[in-house]
């Protein structure tokens, strides 16, 4: 999603799956990073603490809340972010009128049903968590979602971009050395047999 998408109208939000990843298989050690560039359209209309956006991953292609990811909350004075279901961390002000970058990085760990989650505001890590979710861990397809929250007292939102990247773990140098050593040994054995 790009080019200044206007994501809300008169503070009435609709839930939406903005884009999907149809072929990605989330392997152990991989990290999926979701990044949202967003600002409050009219922060003066926020008159209570409220959830503005949730974004993250889910295992079904349907509208609604992510199974793992980030909440963006706002009060009339500040912006707070959290992992879904976790405590809020104050990170900025709602009244500055600027686009800010919100990032969540989700890593599938080798521990069964477990993910590492980190959340950032303007490229500064705000918090990290260990999350257990067996349904998502066993899923063969994952869908990035940007879930806007319905209701009043929001003030509207402007989304500049929402993107996904997948980072595959790079083997350690010792792993390359072991592979090279194994190949060299196999070549030596093959040569000796001749």
């Amino acid at each position: 999603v790009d080019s200044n998408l206007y994501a809300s109208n008169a503070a009435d939000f609709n839930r939406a799956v903005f884009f999907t990843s149809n072929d990605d298989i989330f392997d152990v050690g991989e990290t999926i990073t979701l990044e949202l560039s967003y600002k409050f359209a009219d922060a003066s209309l926020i008159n209570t603490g409220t959830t503005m956006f949730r974004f993250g991953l889910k295992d079904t292609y349907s509208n609604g809340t992510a199974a793992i990811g980030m909440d963006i909350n706002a009060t009339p004075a500040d912006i707070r972010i959290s992992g879904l279901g976790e405590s809020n961390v104050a990170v900025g002000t709602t009244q500055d009128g600027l686009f800010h970058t919100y990032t969540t990085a989700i890593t599938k760990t080798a521990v069964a049903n477990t993910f590492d989650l980190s959340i950032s505001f303007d490229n500064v890590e705000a918090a990290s968590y260990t999350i257990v979710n067996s349904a998502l861990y066993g899923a063969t397809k994952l869908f990035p979602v940007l879930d806007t929250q319905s209701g009043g007292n929001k003030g509207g939102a402007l989304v500049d971009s929402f993107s996904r990247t997948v980072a595959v773990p790079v083997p350690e140098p010792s792993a390359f050395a072991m592979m090279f050593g194994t190949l060299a040994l196999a070549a030596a054995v093959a040569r000796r047999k001749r």
Side-chain angles (χ1 to χ4, degrees):
V1 176
D2 265 319
S3 69
N4 294 322
L5 171 70
Y6 190 61
S8 72
N9 183 2
D12 292 326
F13 284 72
N14 293 306
R15 293 182 164 184
V17 176
F18 274 80
F19 66 91
T20 65
S21 159
N22 290 324
D23 299 319
D24 285 340
I25 297 173
F26 198 11
D27 290 324
V28 169
E30 289 183 343
T31 300
I32 295 179
T33 302
L34 302 174
E35 186 173 278
L36 171 68
S37 177
Y38 157 81
K39 77 173 181 176
F40 300 98
D42 188 350
S44 67
L45 297 178
I46 301 170
N47 60 22
T48 61
T50 187
T51 300
M52 300 296 289
F53 280 104
R54 286 185 170 150
F55 69 99
L57 299 175
K58 62 187 302 181
D59 61 347
T60 57
Y61 181 58
S62 62
N63 288 344
T65 299
I68 183 173
M70 177 194 285
D71 271 344
I72 301 173
N73 302 286
T75 70
D78 62 12
I79 302 167
R80 299 171 184 191
I81 60 175
S82 67
L84 297 180
E86 303 291 338
S87 298
N88 284 326
V89 178
V91 292
T93 176
T94 55
Q95 306 296 330
D96 66 8
L98 301 173
F99 277 96
H100 293 285
T101 302
Y102 301 84
T103 307
T104 182
I106 304 163
T107 303
K108 187 174 186 178
T109 71
V111 178
N113 304 326
T114 305
F115 299 87
D116 289 334
L117 170 72
S118 67
I119 59 173
S120 301
F121 177 78
D122 286 342
N123 301 314
V124 176
E125 185 174 308
S128 60
Y129 312 94
T130 298
I131 307 292
V132 175
N133 187 305
S134 59
L136 198 64
Y137 197 88
T140 56
K141 291 183 180 179
L142 298 176
F143 302 93
V145 295
L146 173 57
D147 177 16
T148 59
Q149 299 296 293
S150 60
N153 305 326
K154 308 273 190 206
L158 294 169
V159 173
D160 184 48
S161 64
F162 181 50
S163 63
R164 168 198 54 82
T165 57
V166 179
V168 178
V170 177
E172 295 290 326
S174 61
F176 283 118
M178 188 183 314
M179 287 187 295
F180 179 72
T182 302
L183 288 173
L185 181 62
V189 168
R191 177 178 271 170
R192 191 169 195 185
K193 284 186 178 183
R194 286 191 216 165

